[in-house]
Amino acid sequence: MNPALSRLWPYPFERLRELLAGAAPPANLAHISLSIGEPRHTPPAFVLEALTNNLHTLNSYPASHGLPQFRASVANWLNRRFALPTGARVDPDTMVLPANGTREALFAVVQALTDRSREPIVVMPNPFYQIYEGAALLAGAEPYFIPQQGNVALPDLDSVPATVWNRCQLLFLCSPGNPTGAVAHVDYLRHALELAEKYDFVVASDECYSEIFFDETQPPTGLLQAAVAAGHTRFERCLVFHSLSKRSSVPGLRSGFVAGDPALIKPFLLYRTYHGCAMPVHVQLASIPAWNDDQHVIENRSLYREKFSKVLPLLKSVMDVEMPQASFYLWPKVDDDQRFTRELFERQHVTTLPGSYIAREGGGGNPGRGRVRISLVASVDECVEAAERIRTYLSRTMIR
Ligand SMILES: Cc1ncc(COP(=O)(O)O)c(C=O)c1O
């Protein structure tokens, strides 16, 4: 048995299942799940059509490198979305690889790029997406957590000692962040790149929430833009991870990509050939029209905007909760995150996720403790109904 397996934490949703085991929620209230970050908007019809129209391609093995037309649609999207200038455009053949969702590629990249012989460290935010930690442990690296407090603060890169940076082989950033929604600005990303150059590591930027934002004139900055601003027109040391899961509400399609430095993409492709994670051809062919179209993404965002505008005023009068900068998460403060989650489920049949389950103990304690993650992924009506029930639960607890 690989001994590193015993170091893996149970996944947050397993812990949630245990926490809620034996609870008997009121049978007259329909269950509303706000715990998993799984978009439940209707997927675009043209994506589903392209998927079913291409089922005949199941008779061929897909290539790990993907179809040229898939990579072209991704490169065009990146160039358009991040306004990459001529001379610093993404080359579809050397800078893009398909991924079966960002999760798969975020995990695999650590396995591919870690040199186990040099006591590797993988640096990541805390709270964080648990795949980063599991990927580090299984690659024989030590995870190092940078605490992140509240809704806006970014992990303080300058708090990391040089002894850690010296052993760091990969830094995970997540912007917009899960669960905080905090967005990294260009100077922050440039600083990460300066450190990467100084200490010789890779920056892996998880940008799977980059298309869920609220001001159409201010989309979140991406790492590739920061690289160009720093003069790195070949995206040296940069890898970005994007997905259709949130952008196009198709989490079950398992369609994403990794893009960036061709000197990293090339060995990663070699790794992926052996790993066996080629994206099925019909999934690639369904993904092309999704990356080519921005209109459905604008409509998707307007639904999230509507949910926040209705839910937030309801919650603000009973709890300490802020509008996130981006993403579909609320990250409010509560007295005790596990008790809140269990009681809300027991009394109101609404599921949220205890913040402490998606963070680790650090110097200042567990930065997720005393917060819950609320994913506004259900329909507008369900989210409003859930907010009403949270109000009822909290007003009754206050009276007690
Ligand atoms: C921060 C973050 N990264 C990556 C993922 C994985 O998304 P997917 O594999 O569907 O692209 C998630 C999913 O919730 C996430 O929250």
Side-chain angles (χ1 to χ4, degrees):
M1 198 71 89
N2 179 347
L5 280 173
S6 64
R7 297 189 63 198
L8 294 179
W9 282 72
Y11 215 59
F13 300 106
E14 257 174 71
R15 296 173 74 190
L16 179 63
R17 244 189 312 278
E18 266 171 38
L19 178 73
L20 303 183
N28 61 329
L29 292 177
H31 180 226
I32 304 179
S33 169
L34 305 179
S35 52
I36 303 189
E38 175 188 73
R40 295 209 291 276
H41 297 172
T42 311
F46 64 88
V47 174
L48 304 186
E49 240 168 72
L51 188 69
T52 50
N53 286 346
N54 287 295
L55 287 176
H56 59 277
T57 60
L58 286 171
N59 67 354
S60 60
Y61 278 120
S64 303
H65 200 200
L67 298 167
Q69 60 270 42
F70 170 86
R71 296 195 307 273
S73 69
V74 162
N76 288 339
W77 178 74
L78 284 169
N79 292 332
R80 178 169 88 243
R81 163 65 175 81
F82 296 106
L84 301 176
T86 326
R89 295 268 164 90
V90 171
D91 172 18
D93 292 334
T94 58
M95 299 183 182
V96 176
L97 295 175
N100 294 322
T102 44
R103 176 185 185 139
E104 173 266 300
L106 289 163
F107 177 81
V109 76
V110 186
Q111 317 310 312
L113 300 185
T114 302
D115 176 355
R116 291 169 181 260
S117 70
R118 292 192 296 125
E119 298 189 310
I121 288 182
V122 174
V123 177
M124 61 194 74
N126 185 24
F128 61 103
Y129 182 52
Q130 195 158 313
I131 297 300
Y132 310 154
E133 178 195 48
L137 292 171
L138 287 176
E142 277 307 313
Y144 180 91
F145 302 108
I146 320 181
Q148 192 175 7
Q149 306 292 347
N151 266 106
V152 221
L154 296 164
D156 180 4
L157 300 175
D158 292 328
S159 70
V160 178
T163 47
V164 170
W165 285 134
N166 274 326
R167 287 174 51 201
C168 175
Q169 294 190 15
L170 187 136
L171 163 68
F172 274 118
L173 296 177
C174 183
S175 171
N178 168 7
T180 66
V183 172
H185 40 84
V186 71
D187 291 341
Y188 180 90
L189 295 170
R190 284 187 68 166
H191 185 41
L193 287 176
E194 279 162 17
L195 289 165
E197 204 169 350
K198 180 169 176 190
Y199 292 101
D200 190 19
F201 61 80
V202 172
V203 182
S205 183
D206 180 354
E207 302 181 359
C208 72
Y209 293 97
S210 70
E211 304 317 289
I212 312 297
F213 57 91
F214 309 111
D215 180 348
E216 290 294 328
T217 65
Q218 296 203 1
T221 306
L223 183 67
L224 298 186
Q225 282 172 302
V228 172
H232 301 314
T233 54
R234 302 269 296 162
F235 312 117
E236 291 82 350
R237 299 172 194 286
C238 298
L239 289 175
V240 296
F241 298 77
H242 283 271
S243 170
L244 290 178
S245 300
K246 329 283 178 187
R247 178 181 183 269
S248 303
S249 306
V250 284
L253 189 64
R254 310 311 300 129
S255 178
F257 67 82
V258 51
D261 188 343
L264 301 171
I265 291 287
K266 194 172 175 200
F268 193 24
L269 173 58
L270 175 67
Y271 171 88
R272 295 176 72 70
T273 310
Y274 283 86
H275 194 83
C277 42
M279 184 190 286
V281 174
H282 65 298
V283 174
Q284 293 185 62
L285 293 173
S287 305
I288 293 170
W291 288 116
N292 286 344
D293 180 73
D294 295 331
Q295 189 53 39
H296 75 282
V297 192
I298 295 173
E299 286 157 22
N300 197 28
R301 276 195 287 275
S302 73
L303 264 182
Y304 285 116
R305 207 176 287 123
E306 183 184 350
K307 286 191 249 185
F308 278 101
S309 72
K310 291 186 169 158
V311 164
L312 212 55
L314 289 171
L315 294 183
K316 262 193 178 288
S317 57
V318 286
M319 69 198 314
D320 185 352
V321 59
E322 296 296 327
M323 179 73 185
Q325 292 175 331
S327 86
F328 48 56
Y329 296 117
L330 290 170
W331 184 233
K333 277 191 185 157
V334 294
D335 282 347
D336 175 326
D337 52 315
Q338 294 194 72
R339 193 182 65 215
F340 176 98
T341 302
R342 171 133 179 145
E343 288 186 355
L344 182 68
F345 180 73
E346 258 174 349
R347 294 175 197 178
Q348 298 293 335
H349 215 176
V350 173
T351 321
T352 55
L353 187 67
S356 55
Y357 290 8
I358 45 174
R360 294 283 175 264
E361 294 295 331
N366 179 323
R369 182 162 301 126
R371 288 186 184 267
V372 287
R373 193 186 75 177
I374 299 178
S375 311
L376 295 188
V377 287
S379 68
V380 177
D381 287 350
E382 271 186 308
C383 286
V384 170
E385 165 74 21
E388 298 279 11
R389 292 195 209 166
I390 293 173
R391 271 166 68 94
T392 307
Y393 159 65
L394 282 175
S395 2
R396 287 184 190 157
T397 0
M398 281 169 199
I399 294 166
R400 254 190 325 167

